[in-house]
Amino acid sequence: MRLAHVRLERYGPFDQIDLPLDPTPGRVNLIVAPNGFGKSVLRQGIGEFLFGIDPRTPMSFRFGTERMLLKADIQHDGGTDSLVRRKGNGITLARADGTLVQPDEERRLLGGADKAVFHELFGLDTALLRSGGRELIRSQGRLGQVLFAAGGGMARVRELLTELERRRDELGKTARHKSRPLWAALDGWEKANNDLRNAAMRPARWTALERHAAETASSLETLLSEQAGLTRERERLRTIGACRPWLDRLRAAAAVLAGAGDAPDLDDGFEKRWRDALQAGVVTASNAEAARETLQTARAAREALSFDPRWIAAKADILALVDQRAVAARAETDLPGVERAQAAQQADAGRIRRDLGWDGTVALPPVAAVKDAQRRLRLHPKLAADAESSAVAVETAERAVRQTAEELAGLPIQGNVAGIADLAALLRADGDPAARLETARRSVREAEAALRAALAAIPDTPLSEAALATTAAPAEASLEAAGRALNEAETARARAEREHVGRLADIQTELASLKALEQSAMLPPADALALARTARDLLWERICGPERPDPANSVAFDRAVRNADAVADALIRHGREAAEAAALRGRVDNLNAGLPALADAVARADARVAEANDALRAMARTAGGHATDLAALRGFLKARETAVARLIARDRAAAELAGLTETLRALSDRLAVAMGVPARDLTELGALLAEAGRAVTADNALANRRAVLTEQAKREAAASATAALAAEKAARALTEWQSGWNGVAAALARPAEEMPAAAADAIAQIEDLRKAEAAAAKEQI
């Protein structure tokens, strides 16, 4: 089986690489590339294609093993096939059409070769060469040493190896401890290997981290929006919480007022009378307490007195005698006056009888009737005044009810300002709209200034805003890779130039040695003997030819023979110098033979440097710059990143300004529609809000006035009803008095239609007459 074409997909560092080969028998395919370009990866890929991918292959560090494929076109005795090797268990080799290649057929294609044969014959690497050299050096006998001594002057290689092994054993013969150089170096290597393994990140992990970062950024944006909404809601609830106690007190007061709607209105002097009554109650209580104490004192004094029981028993008789003595003494003193008064009273009684039209045969009205008439006459002025004042109160209450109703009817129709108040509150929810607009515009201006400054600060090629939006910065990993590739290319170029310059210097040195040797030994040129023999043989052929020999040719032949012999003699005489010159010429030829390869390596290194610089320049052009070195490109990208951040901030500020403007314009238009006025520009939003505030204030004042008048109408209606009831009661009381007075007038023998004043006069005269007659009768007694 011979390989015609090999392709590695997602294998080691290669995403995909194709390697065409010449399968012609006897042909050798030479693959040449600098260190680090993947020659060992290709060799291992060919080996794993032939004998299966190792379960723990180290070539999965970049792409993993899920999509790893090894493909090859092969030529064998049966023809040509395209085979595919995948990683897995069981049969992993298949043809291009998916048909599996069974193990027997696979062994037939490999011609019975196994992995060991492939590594020993075709898979040689530096490690295998070193191990093979060690095995050859360790072989006993003179043959190995003679071969080494003849080939490279290594006669003492065995002794040197033994010395190195002795020193190695001395370095690590004790227990493993970091104080020993060997173990310290080994510990350092293991630690560095572990650090490298730990620091490595698989592509899947990197992709997961990028996806997680994007999701986290999206979640953060959502959480920030929710936080802003929750902050506004919290401020609104805080405002409601601050107003709630006052609203509760207002509702409680309104409930108390509603429950006390039937309470009477108190005049201005009620408070003073109430307080005076309280003070009088306090004084009365104090006086009662003092009287109680005086009574207790008097009782105690009385109990302390002692009397004769006989005098105590005769107390009533003694008091009666005292009263009779006083009456008798007073009667004796007053008798002349009483007699004169009696005479005058009798004269008055006669006059009163004559005035009343009564003669001596008509008896005076009973005392009860007179008392009843006097009581009724005392009630009449109050009842009449109550009836009159009740009528006046009813008229006043009805007039107040009519006035309040007229004022209520005259109030304008109340508009719906709840929507206006809500829209105004929405406009002022986050502060003054004009201030918010100015803040947003200032933010946009500041962001614009910062963007212009950031664009101006970009080195190399200042970008415009449009160019900044159309360019893209390379990823940091790509930039690092490009910088690393440039450093490696420059290092390789410097190394190739050093090798090339060193090879030229070696050639010049060897040529100088050869020239000095030829001059000192007077050696003929390197090809002098060959040229002399060629000239000799040519002349001999001319002499021996069919034509007639030319005598000149014979002379020339003789001269050529002597010249060749002289050159040969000179070489024989200076054989050592000739051999040394030949060795020098051989070394010069060897050095010259490697010179094109070194020049080609320099050219390839220059090409790699140019390619790396082109990659950096391509990255710079993609980002919008023209940097030619990594440091300048990094400075340019850093300034560009700042400009991109400023551009994003400017766009965000502009979006916020546009959103705020749109929101305020929409709310302003809705407010204008609710108020029934033409839409205003945002510059007149303050005036529109002030007008809305005045409309809300006027409507609230109208609502308050309507509520006050409604309550007043209710109170006045209740007062009117109360006054009507009082007037009806007063009229009924006056009617009842008139009905009762008719009976009293009949008992007094007076006309019922007589006015109360005249009736009171008559009753007074009757009372005087009765007193006069009583006094006269008493005098007679």
Side-chain angles (χ1 to χ4, degrees):
M1 179 180 72
R2 294 182 297 277
L3 298 177
H5 184 275
V6 176
R7 171 179 289 183
L8 309 182
E9 294 184 2
R10 292 170 292 280
Y11 186 82
F14 300 118
D15 184 9
Q16 177 178 319
I17 185 171
D18 291 281
L19 181 65
L21 300 172
D22 187 354
T24 304
R27 292 289 181 90
V28 176
N29 293 274
L30 183 63
I31 301 172
V32 180
N35 291 338
F37 271 62
K39 298 187 298 298
S40 299
V41 175
L42 290 172
R43 177 182 52 75
Q44 182 166 346
I46 293 172
E48 291 190 340
F49 167 78
L50 295 173
F51 302 104
I53 300 174
D54 194 289
R56 296 184 179 181
T57 178
M59 296 302 163
S60 61
F61 63 88
R62 182 179 177 189
F63 299 101
T65 59
E66 291 79 2
R67 300 186 297 162
M68 180 183 293
L69 289 178
L70 303 177
K71 301 179 180 179
D73 296 335
I74 64 171
Q75 290 185 1
H76 53 88
D77 297 338
T80 303
D81 274 328
S82 294
L83 302 180
V84 179
R85 174 78 72 178
R86 63 176 179 83
K87 186 181 184 303
N89 299 322
I91 301 175
T92 59
L93 185 65
R95 289 184 172 84
D97 58 0
T99 305
L100 297 179
V101 177
Q102 300 300 322
D104 294 340
E105 185 178 0
E106 182 177 352
R107 284 193 295 271
R108 181 183 65 78
L109 291 174
L110 292 174
D114 56 9
K115 188 181 295 186
V117 172
F118 171 77
H119 282 297
E120 290 175 358
L121 297 181
F122 305 104
L124 291 177
D125 56 7
T126 306
L128 287 175
L129 289 174
R130 289 197 183 99
S131 63
R134 285 194 295 269
E135 292 175 0
L136 184 59
I137 290 172
R138 289 194 181 96
S139 61
Q140 300 296 327
R142 294 176 55 83
L143 178 60
Q145 296 183 7
V146 169
L147 289 175
F148 275 111
M154 299 177 63
R156 296 183 65 254
V157 68
R158 181 67 181 175
E159 291 79 1
L160 179 61
L161 179 62
T162 303
E163 178 66 20
L164 291 176
E165 289 177 348
R166 184 187 64 77
R167 293 186 180 182
R168 180 202 62 192
D169 295 340
E170 183 179 345
L171 288 174
K173 65 182 179 180
T174 59
R176 180 167 180 168
H177 195 274
K178 63 182 180 180
S179 62
R180 292 285 180 175
L182 177 63
W183 300 126
L186 184 59
D187 289 342
W189 176 80
E190 291 177 348
K191 182 178 182 304
N193 195 19
N194 291 332
D195 293 341
L196 179 62
R197 188 181 299 109
N198 295 331
M201 181 179 293
R202 294 183 178 275
R205 175 62 176 165
W206 175 261
T207 304
L209 288 176
E210 286 185 336
R211 184 168 57 255
H212 180 66
E215 294 173 354
T216 304
S218 177
S219 302
L220 177 61
E221 191 70 23
T222 303
L223 291 175
L224 289 175
S225 301
E226 293 178 356
Q227 182 184 16
L230 292 175
T231 301
R232 290 194 295 271
E233 181 66 17
R234 181 185 62 192
E235 293 299 327
R236 188 179 71 83
L237 293 176
R238 183 179 298 169
T239 304
I240 293 174
C243 296
R244 184 171 181 178
W246 297 96
L247 291 175
D248 292 341
R249 291 178 61 184
L250 179 61
R251 293 192 185 98
V256 171
L257 289 176
D262 298 333
D265 292 335
L266 302 177
D267 55 4
D268 296 337
F270 173 77
E271 182 179 2
K272 184 176 182 304
R273 293 197 305 274
W274 177 62
R275 295 189 182 280
D276 292 343
L278 290 178
Q279 186 67 25
V282 174
V283 173
T284 303
S286 178
N287 293 337
E289 185 65 26
R292 191 179 299 108
E293 292 177 358
T294 303
L295 178 61
Q296 293 292 337
T297 303
R299 285 177 178 173
R302 188 185 63 180
E303 291 174 357
L305 296 176
S306 62
F307 298 94
D308 189 348
R310 291 175 300 171
W311 294 105
I312 295 173
K315 176 181 178 182
D317 297 336
I318 293 172
L319 292 175
L321 289 175
V322 171
D323 291 339
Q324 290 177 3
R325 180 179 180 277
V327 171
R330 193 165 51 250
E332 184 180 2
T333 303
D334 295 337
L335 182 58
V338 170
E339 289 176 350
R340 289 192 298 273
Q342 183 180 8
Q345 289 174 357
Q346 287 178 352
D348 291 336
R351 180 178 56 76
I352 292 171
R353 280 180 177 276
R354 288 192 299 273
D355 293 338
L356 293 174
W358 287 340
D359 56 11
T361 60
V362 179
L364 292 175
V367 177
V370 174
K371 296 294 184 185
D372 188 19
Q374 289 177 343
R375 181 180 63 77
R376 289 181 179 276
L377 286 174
R378 284 194 299 272
L379 288 174
H380 183 270
K382 181 177 182 305
L383 293 175
D386 289 344
E388 183 178 0
S389 63
S390 297
V392 173
V394 169
E395 183 180 357
T396 302
E398 290 178 350
R399 184 167 58 253
V401 169
R402 287 194 299 274
Q403 291 176 354
T404 304
E406 290 174 357
E407 189 173 357
L408 271 174
L411 290 177
I413 298 175
Q414 187 174 358
N416 183 16
V417 297
I420 296 175
D422 292 341
L423 289 172
L426 285 175
L427 283 168
R428 293 192 179 97
D430 296 323
D432 182 42
R436 292 169 60 198
L437 277 174
E438 180 58 29
T439 301
R441 293 191 182 102
R442 185 169 59 252
S443 298
V444 171
R445 291 194 298 271
E446 292 174 354
E448 286 281 359
L451 175 59
R452 289 194 296 272
L455 289 174
I458 296 177
D460 183 21
T461 305
L463 297 176
S464 63
E465 182 179 336
L468 190 65
T470 58
T471 58
E476 182 62 25
S478 300
L479 190 62
E480 289 290 341
R484 189 164 53 249
L486 179 59
N487 292 334
E488 291 175 355
E490 290 178 345
T491 302
R493 181 178 64 181
R495 183 171 59 250
E497 288 178 349
R498 286 195 304 271
E499 291 178 356
H500 186 261
V501 172
R503 180 64 60 87
L504 290 175
D506 292 342
I507 291 174
Q508 294 299 324
T509 302
E510 296 296 335
L511 288 175
S513 300
L514 177 60
K515 185 176 181 180
L517 180 61
E518 288 176 346
Q519 290 177 354
S520 62
M522 299 181 66
L523 293 175
D527 55 348
L529 181 60
L531 293 175
R533 288 177 177 176
T534 301
R536 181 197 62 187
D537 296 338
L538 180 60
L539 290 171
W540 176 251
E541 289 176 359
R542 289 178 181 178
I543 293 172
C544 297
E547 295 86 1
R548 183 178 178 180
D550 187 357
N553 289 334
S554 300
V555 175
F557 174 74
D558 181 63
R559 188 181 302 113
V561 170
R562 287 197 301 272
N563 185 29
D565 291 340
V567 171
D569 291 342
L571 292 176
I572 292 172
R573 279 196 310 271
H574 302 284
R576 185 175 62 80
E577 290 83 356
E580 187 176 354
L584 286 174
R585 291 189 187 96
R587 287 199 294 272
V588 169
D589 292 338
N590 290 334
L591 292 174
N592 284 322
L595 193 60
L598 293 177
D600 187 52
V602 172
R604 288 197 304 274
D606 288 337
R608 286 185 60 192
V609 171
E611 183 181 353
N613 285 322
D614 290 341
L616 285 177
R617 284 191 289 272
M619 288 183 181
R621 287 194 299 273
T622 303
H626 299 284
T628 57
D629 57 63
L630 185 60
L633 180 57
R634 285 190 179 278
F636 170 78
L637 291 177
K638 184 175 182 182
R640 183 188 182 281
E641 182 180 0
T642 302
V644 169
R646 297 292 185 270
L647 177 61
I648 293 172
R650 195 283 310 273
D651 292 343
R652 185 183 298 112
E656 291 177 357
L657 175 60
L660 178 61
T661 303
E662 185 65 25
T663 301
L664 293 180
R665 182 177 292 110
L667 291 175
S668 174
D669 293 344
R670 290 174 58 190
L671 180 60
V673 171
M675 293 174 60
V677 298
R680 307 281 183 86
D681 191 70
L682 289 182
T683 56
E684 302 178 2
L685 185 56
L688 183 63
L689 286 173
E691 186 176 348
R694 289 192 295 271
V696 172
T697 302
D699 192 82
N700 291 336
L702 179 61
N704 293 335
R705 180 59 182 166
R706 188 181 298 278
V708 170
L709 289 177
T710 302
E711 291 297 326
Q712 182 178 343
K714 290 180 181 179
R715 292 196 301 271
E716 290 174 351
S720 177
T722 303
L725 291 176
E728 182 182 356
K729 183 178 179 182
R732 189 168 55 250
L734 189 58
T735 302
E736 291 175 355
W737 182 88
Q738 189 65 43
S739 299
W741 174 253
N742 291 334
V744 173
L748 294 176
R750 305 299 296 175
E753 65 275 5
E754 190 176 24
M755 294 300 293
D761 241 357
I763 290 172
Q765 291 178 3
I766 291 171
E767 186 67 21
D768 292 342
L769 179 58
R770 184 182 301 281
K771 288 181 180 178
E773 289 179 351
K778 187 176 180 181
E779 292 295 331
Q780 291 176 359
I781 294 173

